Every structure is written in structure tokens, then in C-alpha cells.
């Protein structure tokens, strides 16, 4: 299987993509998001459809990896696809982080004080997690 084949998986119907059976903000209350409801509006809300499409494409890449292993594809070819999937997730994460900085952190900057400090600390922790992954 080539990189192109793994990326051209069909999109899933709404509600059938990754996390369709679990709440998006499981374990997070409104207080965890600076008073915003756990279902928006967040920095990514304006691009939600594009993000979901991108995640479905990444999900297709991962399903392609499962097929490759099932079909005993050469290990280096599988590793190439793992790298492509990893880079796709990292790119998505960076896009989401940028939107968080532009929306959530910028809104906190207008308020200043403890709210700003909390959002900067939260963003810094998220960046740290991304760097460790």
C-alpha cells in the first residue's frame, strides 16, 4: 500500500468517526475551560467541519495500517505509513494549538490577571505534552 492509498480512505458518515461513542469533553467541566461550556465556542469551532474531515482522513490512515499488518506488508512500508500518520496528527495538533492561542489565550489576555496566567500555563503544558509525544 502506498502513502496515497492510505490517505484516500472515504470519509465516514457524521457521528461515526473517532470518538463518536464518547463525549468530546469527558471529565472536563466548564471551569476547566475558563468558563466556556464544554461544547464550545472554542478556538476551533469555526473550523469544526474541516477538522472533523481531517481527523476522518487520519482515521483512514490508521485503518490502512491495520490492513497492512493484516496483509503482512513489508515492515519498512508499514513504518513509512506510521510516520505519515504521526506527522498528520502532529500537524493537526499544531493547528489546534494555534487556534487555541488565537482564541482562548487572546481572550484571556484581554481580561489579564489570573485568567491570563492560567491560560498561558495551560498552553505551555499542552506544548510540553506535544513535544514529548
Amino acid at each position: 500500500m502506498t502513502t496515497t492509498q492510505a490517505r484516500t480512505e472515504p470519509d465516514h458518515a457524521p457521528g461515526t468517526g473517532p470518538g463518536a461513542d464518547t463525549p468530546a469533553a469527558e471529565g472536563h467541566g466548564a471551569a476547566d475551560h475558563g468558563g466556556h461550556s464544554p461544547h464550545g465556542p472554542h478556538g476551533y469551532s469555526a473550523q469544526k467541519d474541516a477538522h472533523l474531515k481531517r481527523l476522518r482522513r487520519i482515521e483512514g490512515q490508521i485503518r490502512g495500517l491495520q490492513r497492512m499488518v493484516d496483509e503482512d506488508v513489508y515492515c519498512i512500508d508499514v513504518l513509512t505509513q506510521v510516520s505519515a500518520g504521526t506527522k498528520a496528527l502532529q500537524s493537526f495538533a499544531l493547528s489546534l494549538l494555534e487556534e487555541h492561542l488565537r482564541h482562548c489565550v487572546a481572550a484571556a489576555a484581554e481580561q489579564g490577571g489570573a485568567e491570563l496566567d492560567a491560560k498561558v500555563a495551560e498552553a505551555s503544558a499542552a506544548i510540553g505534552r506535544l513535544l514529548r509525544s
Side-chain angles (χ1 to χ4, degrees):
M1 176 177 291
T2 65
T3 302
T4 305
Q5 288 171 318
R7 290 186 183 163
T8 58
E9 293 293 324
D11 289 340
H12 299 282
T16 62
D21 297 333
T22 58
E26 186 175 355
H28 298 288
D32 295 333
H33 301 286
H36 294 290
S37 82
H39 299 292
H42 298 294
Y44 63 83
S45 293
Q47 301 296 323
K48 187 175 181 177
D49 290 341
H51 287 315
L52 289 171
K53 182 177 180 180
R54 191 172 186 182
L55 287 168
R56 285 189 291 270
R57 191 176 311 118
I58 293 167
E59 180 185 29
Q61 285 180 281
I62 304 309
R63 290 188 191 282
L65 278 166
Q66 292 172 336
R67 278 192 303 278
M68 291 175 80
V69 170
D70 186 51
E71 296 169 2
D72 294 317
V73 172
Y74 183 57
C75 51
I76 296 300
D77 293 339
V78 175
L79 288 169
T80 299
Q81 288 303 108
V82 168
S83 178
T86 300
K87 286 185 183 291
L89 278 171
Q90 288 171 338
S91 177
F92 174 76
L94 287 174
S95 174
L96 204 59
L97 177 62
E98 181 180 355
E99 289 172 351
H100 175 72
L101 293 172
R102 289 184 187 279
H103 180 266
C104 302
V105 176
E110 291 177 6
Q111 293 179 346
E115 179 70 17
L116 175 57
D117 293 341
K119 289 296 180 188
V120 168
E122 182 180 57
S124 294
I127 292 166
R129 287 189 301 274
L130 286 172
L131 290 174
R132 285 189 295 273
S133 62

